């Protein structure tokens, strides 16, 4: 039976961090089945899901703390189970762009939560344009359950974008096609 461990690590970015963590996983006879890595400021952040036998995961759990001390990484780990995706009628990629303003992420995520939509991915970043203006980019991958009318959801997302003075693009990744609005 396969066992799973999620590992989150953060520390000052420098070459070789991922290689050392991947080597430890291999040395413990574990596989990296999913991972995300990013840099925030000068900080390296990583989330990995490892898979292996019970003894292999236990070995990894006992070996990771000393490697993280050596690499000066903060680390959290938790055993988990394999993800069983629910059935959705559609998956949408929704992107909002516009002038950077406080509260945008809160407003959009509250809108999605009120409609019981499942967020599969969220990414946001702000950048300064050559004229000194701050612009923000927010990208969401949303799993849409059967009870939600996709066409009405699209209209509501565009209305929310207008209310927040943002542009909005929606792309259907799978399932019910998103209607084209003029």
């Amino acid at each position: 039976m396969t066992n799973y461990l999620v590992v989150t690590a953060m520390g000052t970015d420098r070459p070789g961090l991922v290689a050392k963590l991947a080597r430890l996983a291999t040395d413990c006879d574990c596989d990296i089945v999913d991972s995300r890595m990013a840099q925030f400021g000068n900080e390296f952040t990583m989330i990995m899901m490892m898979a292996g036998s019970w003894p292999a995961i236990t070995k990894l759990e006992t070996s990771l703390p000393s490697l993280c001390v050596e690499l000066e990484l903060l680390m959290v780990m938790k055993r988990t189970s394999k993800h069983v995706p629910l059935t959705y009628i559609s998956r949408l990629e929704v992107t909002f762009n516009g002038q950077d303003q406080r509260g945008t992420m809160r407003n959009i995520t509250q809108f999605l939560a009120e409609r019981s939509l499942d967020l599969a991915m969220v990414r946001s970043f702000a950048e300064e344009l050559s004229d000194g203006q701050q612009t923000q980019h927010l990208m969401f991958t949303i799993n849409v359950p059967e009870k939600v009318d996709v066409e009405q959801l699209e209209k509501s997302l565009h209305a929310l974008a207008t209310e927040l003075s943002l542009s909005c693009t929606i792309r259907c990744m799978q399932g019910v096609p998103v209607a084209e609005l003029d």
Side-chain angles (χ1 to χ4, degrees):
M1 182 170 141
T2 303
N3 292 266
Y4 298 91
L5 180 71
V6 174
V7 178
T8 303
M10 182 180 78
T12 303
D13 190 34
R14 58 190 177 281
L17 292 175
V18 176
K20 289 180 181 179
L21 290 161
R23 174 177 287 133
L24 179 61
T26 301
D27 291 348
C28 291
D29 200 26
C30 291
D31 296 313
I32 300 169
V33 295
D34 197 357
S35 65
R36 309 280 191 286
M37 291 154 224
Q39 187 174 352
F40 295 99
N42 291 323
E43 300 304 307
F44 161 83
T45 59
M46 173 208 69
I47 300 173
M48 286 183 170
M49 184 163 150
M50 314 286 198
S53 66
W54 185 270
I57 292 292
T58 301
K59 183 177 179 183
L60 184 61
E61 283 175 313
T62 59
S63 302
L64 267 169
S66 59
L67 179 62
C68 286
V69 167
E70 175 190 324
L71 298 175
E72 299 176 348
L73 297 174
L74 298 174
M75 187 225 10
V76 175
M77 60 183 148
K78 183 179 186 303
R79 289 221 183 192
T80 190
S81 56
K82 184 177 181 178
H83 178 70
V84 179
L86 300 174
T87 303
Y88 297 101
I89 61 165
S90 189
R91 178 176 264 198
L92 304 177
E93 181 181 83
V94 182
T95 304
F96 296 93
N97 296 298
Q99 185 175 354
D100 192 15
Q101 50 192 336
R102 182 171 289 128
T104 301
M105 179 68 79
R106 176 189 48 107
N107 290 331
I108 295 170
T109 54
Q110 182 64 40
F111 171 93
L112 299 171
E114 287 169 356
R115 288 154 181 79
S116 300
L117 298 170
D118 177 58
L119 290 176
M121 186 279 303
V122 176
R123 180 167 189 253
S124 68
F125 64 95
E127 63 183 339
E128 188 172 330
L129 301 176
S130 58
D131 63 3
Q133 290 284 334
Q134 289 277 26
T135 185
Q136 61 184 349
H137 309 277
L138 301 101
M139 292 144 282
F140 300 87
T141 300
I142 303 168
N143 294 321
V144 182
E146 286 182 6
K147 65 182 180 181
V148 174
D149 179 328
V150 177
E151 189 173 332
Q152 183 56 46
L153 174 61
E154 178 188 9
K155 289 176 184 175
S156 297
L157 286 165
H158 282 288
L160 175 65
T162 300
E163 178 183 317
L164 298 174
S165 300
L166 301 170
S167 67
C168 176
T169 58
I170 301 172
R171 183 175 71 89
C172 184
M173 298 170 68
Q174 68 184 49
V176 178
V178 177
E180 294 287 326
L181 290 180
D182 294 318

